[in-house]
Amino acid sequence: MELFLVAYEARGLLVSVGLAVYLVYKVWVYRRLSAFKGPFSSGWSETWNSATTVSNNAHVKHKEVCDKYGPISRIGPNDLITDSMELVTHMSAARSPYTRTVWFARATRTKPGEDHLFSETNESVHTRRRQQMALGYSGKENLELEGTIDVYIGKLIHLIRSKYLSTPELAQPFDFGKKVQYLAVDVINAIGLGVPLGDLDTDSDQYRYIETTEVGFKIGKMALALGLLPVIQSPWVMRLLAPLGEDGLRFGWPLRHARARIDERLQQETETRSDMLASFVRHGLTRDQLVNESMLQLIAGSDTTSTSIRALFLYLLTHRRVYATLQAEVDAAVADGTAPPAPGVISEAGARSLPYLQACIKEGMRIRPPAGALVPKRVPDGGDTVLMDGKPVFLSGGTNIGVSMFALQLNKGIFGDDAEEFRPERWLVEKDEKKLATMHRVHELIFGYGKYQCLGKSIALMEVNKAVFELVRNFDMSLARPDKPWEEENSLGVFTQRNMLVTAIDRLGDVKS
Ligand code: HEM
């Protein structure tokens, strides 16, 4: 009691001391990274970072910062951002001492207290899990991959041909972005769990998975900006946000779907199977790990892949010369037998042999990188010195460094003065071999690098290659609303594009797909 009285008497002094300690701490935090410039207030508070996180176009703001303040800029008291290829590869190299920041666990966990590969911040656990999963993601232990993707490409073409064809007599715009997302969601479920959600067959967002993940991402980005993610990730809040209702709605349904499929599969023997789940089981993943990984696949693989296809078509449909050149290459590939007659689907090897198609896909992903998250890494304790433009730069230990993929891919120093323009030919006509090699290296970073590189890269590229070829072969497409081609939102680096209204005219006439 006496202690309280003394404290009460000295309250003025205590508040002053508290304030002084707070100010000294703030100055110390500010000075740690004061060598790096950034938006006003970023050295003192999280205001800029939080406002950017909740905005719909964080990727644009991150690029503006890099363009204005240089290859390493400051966006928060403890946060830097970079568009330096050297620094990105240095941080993620196989033996790099940099680690993942807590952002991964906070922003991407799908179950409280449990990690999947992407949310795992313990380096040795991550390395081990990656080894267990790498073969399942590759074609080596997943022989059904290409055939499965072909089935769903065929279903997409059939859906458009059977319901949405336009003719000179009648225009029937449809949301191309949504149909492409149905493709991506069905493919991921089919290759990851052996059963699609059935979006393409029903022409609908089954179990409102797409709608509810979009809401989930929105809640996630608000919570991240407000520092509330640890609260959101507590088991009881998660339960409230993602109820496993019997109506099958909301985020709980895909989780239930995954659990049920995995339980079915665990009853069967895996030795003779050659799909992703069988490979994971053979390499020792437990039932709960399998469920978490399947949720990751849905989150990591469906929006990124559909964004890649949508973005490329946005540029194709607004660049007639490119679209016509690509269509000519596609038609020639059909004529010379590189692709089977419709309704067959081109093989991955066939698509990869078409230089203009490859240049278009590369350029589409470059001009609109499909993943916009900063994926920040942590500088090792003790700090690190890196060379930037030939000068040593010290990075304090514990600092978070994120990547602006847009600044990197649209960098004029790497891609030339027209870096912000869509020009697939840049990949074909560049004479300077060193410059071209750097362009390719930088482009590869779209999928991350080294010990953190995307495991779904080859799956995504296979799907994109086939989808683009078959859509161009089958239809003449146009933007139905060129003045408002889509509505886009960036949540935690995941893009959603809605209302991408397109008309499609049949190019093949008598095909039965
Ligand atoms: C165009 C499509 C895609 C892009 C641009 C992309 C990009 C990325 C990026 C940037 C990372 C993180 C790198 C880092 O932390 O530094 C990543 C990780 C990952 N991605 Fe993708 N991704 C795509 C498609 C997919 C697909 C289709 C799947 C699954 C089928 C997938 C599964 C994963 C997994 C499992 C990881 C975690 C790897 C690890 O932690 O070691 N991704 N991806």
Side-chain angles (χ1 to χ4, degrees):
M1 190 65 188
E2 229 167 85
L3 197 67
F4 280 120
L5 278 177
V6 174
Y8 183 71
E9 289 300 321
R11 63 188 181 280
L13 181 68
L14 286 176
V15 169
S16 306
V17 170
L19 210 60
V21 170
Y22 177 73
L23 283 176
V24 169
Y25 170 72
K26 277 286 182 190
V27 171
W28 176 78
V29 168
Y30 175 79
R31 286 175 59 95
R32 265 182 78 243
L33 301 177
S34 59
F36 304 99
K37 306 292 168 236
F40 179 71
S41 89
S42 60
W44 299 97
S45 83
E46 294 287 354
T47 318
W48 188 89
N49 225 345
S50 300
T52 301
T53 302
V54 289
S55 74
N56 284 341
N57 58 351
H59 55 294
V60 176
K61 295 183 179 175
H62 291 145
K63 177 179 179 301
E64 283 167 2
V65 168
C66 290
D67 289 349
K68 187 165 176 188
Y69 300 103
I72 309 182
S73 320
R74 189 175 200 176
I75 52 169
N78 193 37
D79 301 278
L80 301 177
I81 188 166
T82 186
D83 67 351
S84 153
M85 171 185 78
E86 288 79 14
L87 184 52
V88 176
T89 50
H90 176 67
M91 292 192 296
S92 296
R95 290 185 216 297
S96 162
Y98 285 65
T99 50
R100 278 181 162 163
T101 60
V102 72
W103 177 89
F104 286 86
R106 296 234 167 110
T108 74
R109 259 186 195 159
T110 50
K111 202 166 169 219
E114 286 182 29
D115 283 304
H116 45 65
L117 187 67
F118 193 61
S119 67
E120 182 59 70
T121 53
N122 178 311
E123 284 288 303
S124 47
V125 176
H126 175 260
T127 308
R128 159 105 183 102
R129 180 78 65 88
R130 217 178 135 87
Q131 284 161 353
Q132 288 175 297
M133 297 178 65
L135 285 172
Y137 269 98
S138 77
K140 290 193 189 107
E141 286 199 11
N142 191 357
L143 304 176
E144 294 164 18
L145 187 63
E146 183 158 4
T148 307
I149 292 180
D150 285 356
V151 170
Y152 295 95
I153 299 283
K155 283 179 188 279
L156 173 69
I157 300 297
H158 173 72
L159 175 63
I160 297 174
R161 174 162 287 124
S162 59
K163 274 181 87 170
Y164 296 107
L165 280 186
S166 288
T167 60
E169 289 75 36
L170 180 69
Q172 293 201 86
F174 64 96
D175 188 348
F176 175 73
K178 190 153 257 176
K179 307 308 167 203
V180 166
Q181 190 150 18
Y182 293 168
L183 168 75
V185 168
D186 270 353
V187 164
I188 290 291
N189 275 279
I191 60 181
L193 295 168
V195 190
L197 282 192
D199 286 9
L200 286 168
D201 279 341
T202 57
D203 192 17
S204 67
D205 174 16
Q206 284 289 286
Y207 312 102
R208 288 161 62 183
Y209 164 77
I210 295 171
E211 184 190 329
T212 49
T213 38
E214 284 179 12
V215 173
F217 283 129
K218 273 190 200 164
I219 295 173
K221 82 170 168 182
M222 296 298 284
L224 182 71
L226 297 171
L228 291 177
L229 270 176
V231 180
I232 296 263
Q233 292 214 338
S234 77
W236 61 269
V237 177
M238 275 284 227
R239 226 168 281 142
L240 276 179
L241 288 175
L244 301 175
E246 283 307 313
D247 56 1
L249 300 181
R250 293 190 258 193
F251 196 68
W253 194 86
L255 194 65
R256 270 202 326 179
H257 172 73
R259 278 201 199 114
R261 297 292 79 74
I262 286 165
D263 286 343
E264 275 165 29
R265 283 295 300 274
L266 289 176
Q267 308 296 321
Q268 301 161 14
E269 59 87 35
T270 51
E271 281 314 311
T272 53
R273 306 258 333 211
S274 55
D275 64 7
M276 204 177 224
L277 256 183
S279 168
F280 293 166
V281 172
R282 265 200 299 278
H283 292 280
L285 261 64
T286 64
R287 184 252 194 192
D288 287 348
Q289 288 169 345
L290 291 169
V291 173
N292 288 330
E293 296 302 342
S294 74
M295 297 315 293
L296 166 64
Q297 282 161 7
L298 259 176
I299 293 167
S302 58
D303 289 295
T304 45
T305 310
S306 35
T307 291
S308 310
I309 300 171
R310 289 171 191 152
L312 175 54
F313 272 93
L314 178 67
Y315 281 87
L316 285 178
L317 302 187
T318 47
H319 291 70
R320 275 178 44 82
R321 179 189 61 78
V322 177
Y323 193 13
T325 311
L326 179 61
Q327 215 159 45
E329 186 183 71
V330 164
D331 290 350
V334 175
D336 71 15
T338 304
V345 173
I346 190 159
S347 66
E348 191 191 22
R352 294 271 189 178
S353 72
L354 304 177
Y356 202 72
L357 175 66
Q358 294 316 303
C360 286
I361 290 173
K362 264 206 135 106
E363 187 70 349
M365 285 191 173
R366 185 191 71 81
I367 201 127
R368 300 278 324 182
L374 293 176
V375 288
K377 308 300 183 302
R378 182 183 181 278
V379 180
D381 293 338
D384 187 27
T385 301
V386 292
L387 280 183
M388 204 50 53
D389 299 328
K391 292 194 196 106
V393 174
F394 181 70
L395 302 163
S396 301
T399 304
N400 305 324
I401 306 185
V403 181
S404 168
M405 197 47 76
F406 277 69
L408 189 54
Q409 299 302 329
L410 302 175
N411 190 311
K412 292 187 176 158
I414 296 163
F415 292 100
D417 287 345
D418 68 349
E420 300 200 356
E421 308 308 322
F422 178 72
R423 181 173 62 87
E425 285 76 8
R426 76 178 71 247
W427 300 99
L428 303 171
V429 300
E430 181 56 58
K431 298 269 179 318
D432 181 341
E433 280 184 19
K434 204 164 155 225
K435 182 178 175 199
L436 188 61
T438 306
M439 286 163 54
H440 281 294
R441 266 190 88 199
V442 168
H443 190 275
E444 278 172 16
L445 301 182
I446 288 172
F447 287 95
Y449 183 77
K451 61 181 176 176
Y452 302 124
Q453 197 190 45
C454 174
L455 279 186
K457 180 179 174 184
S458 49
I459 296 174
L461 287 176
M462 188 186 286
E463 193 174 334
V464 172
N465 265 284
K466 287 169 180 275
V468 174
F469 183 96
E470 293 306 336
L471 285 162
V472 170
R473 172 209 317 230
N474 280 275
F475 309 114
D476 263 327
M477 290 173 26
S478 308
L479 283 175
R481 304 278 179 277
D483 52 331
K484 198 178 176 200
W486 67 24
E487 291 153 26
E488 185 179 60
E489 199 169 320
N490 173 350
S491 300
L492 299 174
V494 175
F495 292 103
T496 46
Q497 294 100 1
R498 290 184 212 98
N499 293 327
M500 184 179 176
L501 294 180
V502 155
T503 53
I505 299 221
D506 194 3
R507 294 188 73 226
L508 305 183
D510 55 353
V511 171
K512 300 270 171 292
S513 65

